[in-house]
Amino acid sequence: MKNTFGNALSVTIFGESHGAAIGAVIDGLAPGLVVDEGFIRHQLSLRRPAGRISTARREADEFQILSGVYEGRTTGTPLCIVIPNADTKSGDYQTEIARPGHADYTAKCKYHGYQDARGGGHFSGRVTAALVAAGAILIPALKGKGITIGTHVARCAGVNDAPFAFDESELKAQLLDLNEIPFAVLDAPAGEQMQAAIDAARADGDSVGGVLETAIVGLPAGIGEPWFDSIESLLSHALFSIPAVKGVEFGDGFALADRKGSEANDAFVVEDGLVLTMTNHNGGINGGIANGMPVVFRCAIKPTPTIAKVQHTIDMKKKTNVEYGGRGRHDPCIVHRARVVVDSVAALVVADLLTQRYGTECWE
């Protein structure tokens, strides 16, 4: 049973949805990194539910850093951050009913009934708040190295957002803007259509999913490993750990399968002494290693499984077939809240890759 990810720099998550707290331990951090608690609060606010298009559960996310920070900077020892749970309603959950689309049944198979099943327990999306807090330690450090990460809702409920810019300076400006807004889209009218569709699904007792598109700008060429620790391998491993992520593609992804090599290749060119590519179909990666262009990937987010509509399922204790209509508080869509989780996970992976290649001295 493992809840740790990373090599030179690792993160361990702990806690349950309705337990006392959730949290993360980051090990392998360089000493001297600035820890901006205001930025941590900002990042957590981007994940926090708000309005009719999110769950009614409202957590303050008043975190506490227990170790690894002294006078506002990392010490180089393990950093532990804890976020208490306060707004829990465990009585809303029938722990013997296997909710369709959730991990209730598989968790019971793995943990033999000893798991904390309230609100999904350790499998709950609530635990992603710990990942966001951990990512918020590293995102400013990466910015200090010229690396910017950002995500937009590329598609939700069948509505498409505008695409990322190809020009790197324009793309970086887009990412910085996205990181300041709650519903991260490039085209405001498209965002309004998405939110209307989410609200309509809520009113119908249903839910919707979507696609998140992320760009990492400024990652130097040569970062990553061939084969098992390629950028794609490590990012995919981490991204698929986020609840509701059911697909990951890099660059043009599956669309490349229908093209010829002449259409899929990214031609190299030298401009002002810099090696660039004329297109970015492969998402800034060749042979598992960054080529210096923006790393671009997309995550498919499934619709929230807890819905008000009646579904067929089982009573795991009685071994009988039953019908279940979602009780408790749930999101009609988690796509807009998941984007900051994706940013945070990407930051953890990039920081690990940089530390593997250059050591902790690279952060000085």
Side-chain angles (χ1 to χ4, degrees), residues 153-167:
V153 182
R155 185 165 71 251
C156 181
V159 180
N160 292 316
D161 190 23
F164 274 142
F166 178 76
D167 178 78

Side-chain angles (χ1 to χ4, degrees), residues 187-207:
D187 178 45
E192 292 172 2
Q193 292 179 49
M194 293 177 189
Q195 293 178 70
I198 295 170
D199 195 35
R202 178 200 60 79
D204 194 36
D206 219 328
S207 62

Side-chain angles (χ1 to χ4, degrees), residues 163-169 171-172 175 213-219 231-232 249-256 259 261-269 275-287 289-298:
F164 274 142
F166 178 76
D167 178 78
E168 189 166 317
S169 60
L171 172 58
K172 185 174 181 178
L175 301 184
E213 184 176 41
T214 303
I216 305 171
V217 175
L219 191 64
I231 293 178
E232 295 106 324
E249 64 176 2
F250 291 83
D252 292 347
F254 282 93
L256 294 175
R259 297 178 188 168
S262 57
E263 298 169 320
N265 290 339
D266 297 309
F268 287 102
V269 63
V275 176
L276 307 172
T277 60
M278 298 178 69
T279 54
N280 198 20
H281 301 307
N282 292 277
I285 304 169
N286 297 126
I289 299 170
N291 64 21
M293 296 294 287
V295 171
V296 180
F297 60 87
R298 282 173 291 278

